[in-house]
Structures are given as C-alpha cells and as structure tokens.
Amino acid sequence: MTYDVLVEGIISTDVIFSSIPKMPNPGEEVYCGSFEFTCGAAYNTAVALSRLGLKVAVIGPMGNDFLSQFMKGSLEAEGVSTSLMFQVDQPLRCLSVCINYGGDRSFLSFQDSVEKLNLADYACSVIEKTEAKVLHTSAGRGNKGVIETAKTKGMLISLDVGWDEEWLQDDQLSELLKMADIFTPNQKEAETITGIMNPYEAIEKLGKHNTSVVIKLGEHGALMRQNHTIKKIAGYQCEAIDTTGAGDVFSAGLLAGMLKGWSLEDSVKLGNYCGSCSVQSLGGATGSPSWQQVQKGFLEPIK
C-alpha cells in the first residue's frame, strides 16, 4: 500500500482531568467534573489525518501490555494502520496524566524503558521498504538518519519539535531543519531555537534554512513564512476546554491541505480550524474533525 502520511513517534496513553474545583492538598481527595481516557502524542496527528480521509500508518514501538493493546485498538478503530509498528515482547507503558486547572496544564508521566530499542534504526528499515508521500516526525535527537532515509525516497518532510530546552539550543538541530520541507514549532520553541523573543524575527531566521516555516500561536492562529514572505493567519474564536495535542491536530490539517494541492496559506487556515476543533474536547484527537465536518464548518462558510 502507498500511504499519504507516515507518522513516526511514540504514542502515549493519556488520562485527562478537567473542571477541577481546587487542587488537592496532601491527604485530600477532590472530584473533578470531567475526565477522558485516550491516547496522545503521535496518535493525535495520525488519527486527525485519518479522519480527514488520508491513508495513514504509524511507525513506533508497541509492547505486550494492556495500555499498548488499548493504543493499538484505538488506532485501528480510527482507520490508522498499525502494520508498521515495532512489537516488543515486554510491557511498554507510556502514560501521562494531564491536569487542567487555573487556565494551564500540569503533567505527570511514566514510560517503561526498553533495552536495545533503537526506534530510529527500525524506522529507517521500514521507510526504505514503504511508499508514502509525507513523513511527519520530530526534529529530535537521533532522528537525522530517519529524515535522510525518507528524503532519499522522495517523501515530503514535515517536522515538529518537542520541548527540550537544551536540544532546542543545540547546533545539531539546525542540521535537521535544513532537511525539512515544512517546520511547525510553537512560539516558545521557535523563540528558544533562535534566541529571538519575537515571532516575526524568529520566523525570518528559521526561514533561512530554505524551509517553509509555520509558527503556531495557539488561540491567535499562526505565523507563516514562504518564499521570503511572512503572513499572520488568524485563529478561530472558541471556548477552549483542553489544549493538549491541539498543535498535533493543527499539523494534520496543514498536511491535509498541502496534500490536496492547496496553497500554504489555505493549508494553515485549515490547520487553525482543526486545532480549534481539538481544544473544544478533552484530548487532542477527541474533537478533531472529519472531512465531512471540514466541508460543513470550514469550506462552506468561505464560499
């Protein structure tokens, strides 16, 4: 099968609490008003892409534990292929508890370690044997070989980046960004990478890698740079319940637009729309829209 997008990365299981009246003190128990048990990280982009009608496969590790089986079943129920995942014969629990309180989020996380697990080497071997239009992955430590392998296959390279302050300031990151076709950091990440506390100046510096750059600005939309032109794309006004994973869903909308041959500006607008849908539910992909919803809520109003 030829896939539209390969999404490479770790998938977590997410426990999300919201509508919390107060944070418990030691020894106290507090009941929240809202709760969700779902998956996150690479899951968000993969599922959001699948809901938009694209053929998607995930490249990542999977254990023999209950949480791994829950993750596998959740992906397959959303039409995402798990055939390229790396099965390890041990528990591989990756769990995050998200607490939405006071307008911000706190996380408590756990991940099993696996000896001799080299996800990058495995991803390279899979990509060499797989046809796809796009690789969406992280500009993370040790991922250079994965990106290079996908480029030799002629795949468009879509890079995101996670929060790791030391890595964001490492010169090696610049080498990865030079290989990207599209790079989508958030404002804090972009400013940390460049050392410039201004998104317009930061995107100008990042764009010198000859890469199309989109800086995610949350509720304020996004800033894009292409062909030496910088433009701000307004976001959608909505009531945000949980912003966890919204950036991942934004990336799905952006890539869906690009794969349909849309301009970068229109693709960013779709990304903003998808991200706004995401924040109205607990969990990144829970509220990500189907293509039918996009047609009704995004395309019809702009005709």
Side-chain angles (χ1 to χ4, degrees), residues 20-249:
I20 300 170
K22 59 166 283 189
M23 291 297 289
N25 293 316
E28 289 184 344
E29 182 178 27
V30 173
Y31 281 84
C32 67
S34 189
F35 160 84
E36 184 66 61
F37 180 52
T38 183
C39 297
Y43 175 90
N44 293 325
T45 305
V47 166
L49 284 164
S50 182
R51 289 188 183 181
L52 294 174
L54 301 175
K55 294 180 180 178
V56 187
V58 170
I59 302 174
M62 177 174 59
N64 59 9
D65 55 281
F66 164 76
L67 293 181
S68 293
Q69 294 308 306
F70 172 76
M71 174 261 289
K72 181 175 185 290
S74 298
L75 285 169
E76 292 174 348
E78 292 283 356
V80 177
S81 173
T82 60
S83 64
L84 304 182
M85 298 192 75
F86 179 38
Q87 178 73 55
V88 296
D89 190 22
Q90 71 161 77
L92 187 52
R93 298 162 298 176
C94 184
L95 177 68
S96 286
V97 176
C98 174
I99 300 171
N100 289 278
Y101 179 74
D104 206 344
R105 300 165 296 156
S106 299
F107 297 91
L108 184 63
S109 300
F110 172 83
Q111 183 172 333
D112 281 310
S113 61
V114 182
E115 291 186 13
K116 300 179 181 178
L117 173 61
N118 191 320
L119 180 58
D121 285 351
Y122 174 76
C124 286
S125 67
V126 168
I127 291 169
E128 286 175 350
K129 299 179 288 187
T130 306
E131 299 301 321
K133 299 172 185 175
V134 177
L135 171 70
H136 178 72
T137 187
S138 170
R141 301 175 188 268
N143 235 16
K144 184 177 180 180
V146 175
I147 298 167
E148 288 176 332
T149 302
K151 284 193 76 71
T152 62
K153 294 279 292 186
M155 297 180 193
L156 182 145
I157 306 299
S158 167
L159 294 185
D160 213 329
V161 67
W163 180 254
D164 178 341
E165 189 169 359
E166 182 181 355
W167 172 245
L168 292 176
Q169 298 173 347
D170 195 309
D171 290 340
Q172 296 180 67
L173 175 59
S174 294
E175 297 303 309
L176 302 188
L177 300 185
K178 291 175 184 177
M179 295 187 285
D181 295 291
I182 182 78
F183 178 47
T184 56
N186 63 33
Q187 182 174 343
K188 186 176 181 179
E189 292 161 349
E191 292 177 343
T192 302
I193 291 169
T194 61
I196 302 171
M197 299 300 107
N198 179 301
Y200 286 87
E201 295 178 14
I203 201 170
E204 180 68 34
K205 185 173 181 179
L206 288 170
K208 291 180 179 179
H209 293 302
N210 296 318
T211 299
S212 294
V213 181
V214 177
I215 296 180
K216 295 171 286 193
L217 304 175
E219 63 182 310
H220 301 295
L223 196 63
M224 57 167 278
R225 183 188 188 278
Q226 185 183 42
N227 300 328
H228 308 290
T229 300
I230 297 173
K231 186 171 185 178
K232 183 178 180 182
I233 309 299
Y236 284 76
Q237 297 301 311
C238 64
E239 183 179 354
I241 294 174
D242 176 29
T243 59
T244 305
D248 301 325
V249 176

